[in-house]
Amino acid sequence: MAAPGGSLKIAAMTTSSSSQNAAGASALPRIAVLATGGTIAGSAPDAANTAGYQAGVIGVAQLLAAVPGLDAVAQIHAEEVASVDSKDMSFALWATLAQRVNALLASDDIDGVVITHGTDTLEETAYLLHLTVKSAKPVILTAAMRPASALSADGPLNLLNAVTVAASGQAGGQGVLVAFNNRMHCARDVAKISTYAVDAFQSPEIGALGWVQDGRVDFQRRALRPHTLDTPFAVVDETAAQWPQVEIVTSYAGVSRIAVDALVSAGVRGIVVAGTGNGSIHATLQQALADAAAQGVAVVRASRVGSGHVMHNGAAKDDALGFISAGTLSPYKARVLLMLALATGSTQKDALQRVFDTY
Ligand code: ASP
């Protein structure tokens, strides 16, 4: 596995279409497949092994070769952007990926992008790109729960389905989507909800956007919140200014204020709290966070529950305490949005609450 964010490999290739004549291939949509690693590119010594394996070791050419029929769906331009276990996702790799996606989509030679990714932080990368890609062309993330070497590996079908969605002509203008286990999800809504199951992604409360199965793409609804071209957010580089320090703390029985006080002393710009229930916070932690907010730290109230929304000015009096409510965003996605918002220079509480109410 490559060091997190380090030594990124860029290797481009375009698949030759052995099963098609040149005229047929040139009529197909041109889809860039960007590989970043993960279990989809994982390998274990034993085909029965679905947990003890190394992520991100299979090259993009091998990933594509495992998908029969791909050549009939799209002309593929493949790049290996990285080969990381996505638990080690870094700002540097996020910046590289966002820049590469934007550059490819700006080209008249590319009709859409598919990104293969680890499942662990897929939802964070998807939401980051949803807010920062500047194109109406489709961007689809996919992944796998079983390594490429496993019996019943789920990666090849997920990859075929992701390319099918990207090439369908139906996914443009919908922001970043996640194609996984026959479903299509909006990047804002999707979450990994199982540590092991093949059906590991859901959009809690809201549901998937639709299905992709047997070559058919069936959208049932569209995401309503602004994204991509309609946001002020951009990923420029991996410098500290681009990524204001935002950390996450959790509320639980007997929690102390040690973590919050340490974060404030360390100079963080923002803290997201994964509260209990409807973003409620233990009185000890709430006082520490109110003190942090009074010192100019942006404090966002989310929930550790995993579904539902956090109401502004509910039981926790956000305005009086200086907090922002995350609405339906998970703590991890709230952190992504808060970093991007702080990077635009927005620091005032009401302005940040409008950002959370909008995106
Ligand atoms: N640890 C792996 C990753 O996120 C898990 C996976 O891809 O399913 O890269």
Side-chain angles (χ1 to χ4, degrees), residues 1 36-42 53-56 84-88 117-122 143-147 154 180 192 194-195 200-201:
M1 189 185 76
T36 67
T39 294
I40 194 168
Y53 58 87
Q54 199 180 347
V84 297
D85 185 322
S86 80
K87 73 179 178 61
D88 297 322
H117 198 285
T119 59
D120 288 346
T121 57
L122 181 144
M145 287 299 284
R146 293 179 177 157
D154 51 331
F180 198 90
K192 182 173 179 179
S194 174
T195 57
F201 284 85

Side-chain angles (χ1 to χ4, degrees), residues 121-317:
T121 57
L122 181 144
E123 65 210 64
E124 295 172 52
T125 301
Y127 188 48
L128 176 87
L129 295 175
H130 190 63
L131 295 170
T132 58
V133 163
K134 295 305 167 200
S135 173
K137 293 179 185 174
V139 178
I140 321 293
L141 272 74
T142 196
M145 287 299 284
R146 293 179 177 157
S149 55
L151 290 171
S152 302
D154 51 331
L157 184 57
N158 282 342
L159 180 52
L160 178 63
N161 283 339
V163 173
T164 301
V165 175
S168 68
Q170 297 182 56
Q174 302 213 52
V176 172
L177 306 177
V178 173
F180 198 90
N181 205 36
N182 294 121
R183 297 193 189 91
M184 299 177 290
H185 298 270
C186 174
R188 188 182 194 280
D189 306 330
V190 74
K192 182 173 179 179
I193 50 89
S194 174
T195 57
Y196 72 95
V198 171
D199 199 10
F201 284 85
Q202 277 183 13
S203 296
E205 293 270 333
I206 290 170
L209 296 180
W211 300 277
V212 49
Q213 193 161 23
D214 300 358
R216 258 173 270 163
V217 174
D218 182 6
F219 279 102
Q220 294 289 317
R221 64 178 187 90
R222 295 177 77 86
L224 296 179
R225 299 237 182 177
H227 51 71
T228 54
L229 293 165
D230 297 324
T231 82
F233 309 120
V235 171
V236 182
D237 55 38
E238 70 267 34
T239 62
Q242 171 71 28
W243 304 103
Q245 186 91 40
V246 176
E247 302 291 343
I248 299 172
V249 299
T250 305
S251 188
Y252 43 83
V255 65
S256 77
R257 56 180 294 153
I258 293 173
V260 169
D261 289 343
L263 290 172
V264 173
S265 299
V268 297
R269 301 272 311 280
I271 299 175
V272 176
V273 55
T276 40
N278 179 16
S280 53
I281 308 167
H282 189 291
T284 304
L285 192 64
Q286 180 166 293
Q287 186 57 56
L289 290 164
D291 294 346
Q295 291 183 54
V297 176
V299 175
V300 173
R301 201 167 56 83
S303 174
R304 68 181 205 180
V305 167
S307 72
H309 61 181
V310 168
M311 280 182 63
H312 184 209
N313 270 333
K317 299 292 173 210

Side-chain angles (χ1 to χ4, degrees), residues 26-118:
S26 63
L28 292 172
R30 295 149 304 175
I31 305 300
V33 174
L34 306 186
T36 67
T39 294
I40 194 168
S43 184
D46 184 338
N49 201 332
T50 58
Y53 58 87
Q54 199 180 347
V57 291
I58 303 273
V60 67
Q62 213 178 323
L63 279 188
L64 294 167
V67 187
L70 198 60
D71 280 359
V73 177
Q75 298 176 71
I76 304 294
H77 165 85
E79 297 186 12
E80 201 163 296
V81 177
S83 49
V84 297
D85 185 322
S86 80
K87 73 179 178 61
D88 297 322
M89 186 51 62
S90 64
F91 293 139
L93 180 48
W94 267 358
T96 300
L97 192 57
Q99 286 158 7
R100 194 66 195 127
V101 170
N102 277 315
L104 284 163
L105 294 179
S107 160
D108 289 338
D109 295 331
I110 292 295
D111 299 310
V113 168
V114 167
I115 299 167
T116 61
H117 198 285

